[in-house]
Amino acid sequence: MKLEGRRVLVTGGAQGMGLLIAQGAAARGAHVAIWDVNSRALPDAAARIAAARPRGNQLVVSEAVDVGNPDAVARAAERLAASFGNVEVLVNNAGVVSGKPLMELSPEEVQRTLRINTAALFWTTQAVLPAMIEAGAGHVVTMASAGGLIGASRLSDYCASKFGAVGFHESLRAELRRTAPGVGTSLICPFFVATGMFAGVRTRFPFLLPILEPATVASAVIRAVERNRAVVVLPWFVHSLKLLRLLPVRWLDPIASFFGIHVAMDTFSGRPKAP
């Protein structure tokens, strides 16, 4: 799908990888809308997206939206359709991480992770998919994670949410193949990305499992939409996780530990909280 002239919605689009995806879409000639719960970051993000446009007549729209709130999403989607038009490409990018051992997680932290990383996929997709189905064209991107392919220490809530994202996306893909084959889907499963969200994370073998640059992942998302790629896994070595899961657990766990998967979060600090 060529992005020029398309209407693209990016959730979590005011910072980090979401902002880079939005800028990349704008640079391709798309009209871009971003939703983010961080209202203070929206004006600067919108200006940076506007600066990436090759033409001055491309729309750039931003709104503070809690994508984990189904009522808020439904209302925001109505406003967006009225001012921006029907969304043709949805990038479900918003995400959070706690980075704590299971016994240190509060109920509020677990609920927040599942609400933003998994449940929000339902609300945003339900809000914009009907117009895509009616048009017989469109694209839905689900930002999952390598953590949706294998569980890791100190990421129980995050991995659970990303396993849910993978399952959601695969079911969505199956439904659309039957009911709206013109609507494409892309599942993105990167290793740790060097955004503030995963600050402090380390990798044991950087040549096999590098901490990815946000721009690399953002570019991969844009290419996935343009080329209708069903699944994108970054880096290539993450594909081996699919094979590892075929092994008995008594082999899987030591191999995963050898590659440092279960100690990567030991140095996690995360994005500093806003004052």
Side-chain angles (χ1 to χ4, degrees):
M1 169 185 286
K2 290 186 64 174
L3 287 174
E4 184 175 0
R6 301 288 187 177
R7 285 170 167 75
V8 179
L9 170 62
V10 182
T11 68
Q15 56 193 329
M17 195 157 54
L19 176 55
L20 291 174
I21 294 169
Q23 288 176 295
R28 296 295 205 281
H31 306 287
V32 178
I34 58 171
W35 287 351
D36 202 296
V37 72
N38 186 352
S39 59
R40 289 184 293 181
L42 285 171
D44 180 65
R48 292 171 66 180
I49 295 166
R53 299 175 299 176
R55 306 191 311 274
N57 62 346
Q58 293 166 236
L59 296 173
V60 177
V61 177
S62 64
E63 184 173 353
V65 181
D66 176 3
V67 294
N69 182 327
D71 293 331
V73 168
R75 291 192 297 268
E78 289 180 1
R79 290 191 293 270
L80 188 64
S83 64
F84 182 73
N86 291 330
V87 171
E88 296 166 283
V89 178
L90 169 65
V91 182
N92 279 313
N93 168 77
V96 296
V97 63
S98 303
K100 296 180 179 180
L102 171 65
M103 297 308 296
E104 294 180 15
L105 287 168
S106 68
E108 293 76 18
E109 287 170 323
V110 173
Q111 290 166 358
R112 174 174 175 258
T113 301
L114 297 176
R115 188 171 68 89
I116 301 301
N117 294 2
T118 311
L121 303 175
F122 290 82
W123 319 141
T124 56
T125 306
Q126 285 179 338
V128 304
L129 186 59
M132 295 186 197
I133 293 175
E134 183 177 354
H139 205 96
V140 178
V141 176
T142 302
M143 290 298 301
S145 166
L149 305 175
I150 187 170
S153 178
R154 299 177 67 96
L155 285 172
S156 56
D157 60 333
Y158 183 81
C159 287
S161 72
K162 292 303 185 178
F163 268 77
V166 171
F168 163 85
H169 187 90
E170 291 184 350
S171 294
L172 173 65
R173 185 175 69 228
E175 289 185 13
L176 290 175
R177 283 183 56 136
R178 299 180 61 195
T179 60
V183 179
T185 61
S186 295
L187 175 67
I188 316 296
C189 295
F191 191 58
F192 293 114
V193 184
T195 62
M197 193 168 82
F198 280 107
V201 170
R202 295 179 182 174
T203 180
R204 180 172 290 173
F205 298 107
F207 61 98
L208 291 177
L209 291 169
I211 305 297
L212 298 165
E213 290 298 323
T216 300
V217 181
S219 295
V221 171
I222 296 296
R223 289 195 302 273
V225 175
E226 291 178 327
R227 301 174 187 178
N228 196 27
R229 294 190 61 183
V231 180
V232 176
V233 176
L234 298 168
W236 66 267
F237 190 75
V238 172
H239 283 289
S240 66
L241 297 179
K242 303 172 187 177
L243 300 176
L244 287 179
R245 295 195 63 83
L246 300 176
L247 297 175
V249 172
R250 66 180 182 274
W251 296 354
L252 170 63
D253 288 349
I255 292 174
S257 295
F258 171 77
F259 284 109
I261 292 173
H262 298 311
V263 298
M265 290 290 292
D266 287 357
T267 52
F268 169 81
S269 58
R271 181 179 287 124
K273 295 186 183 299

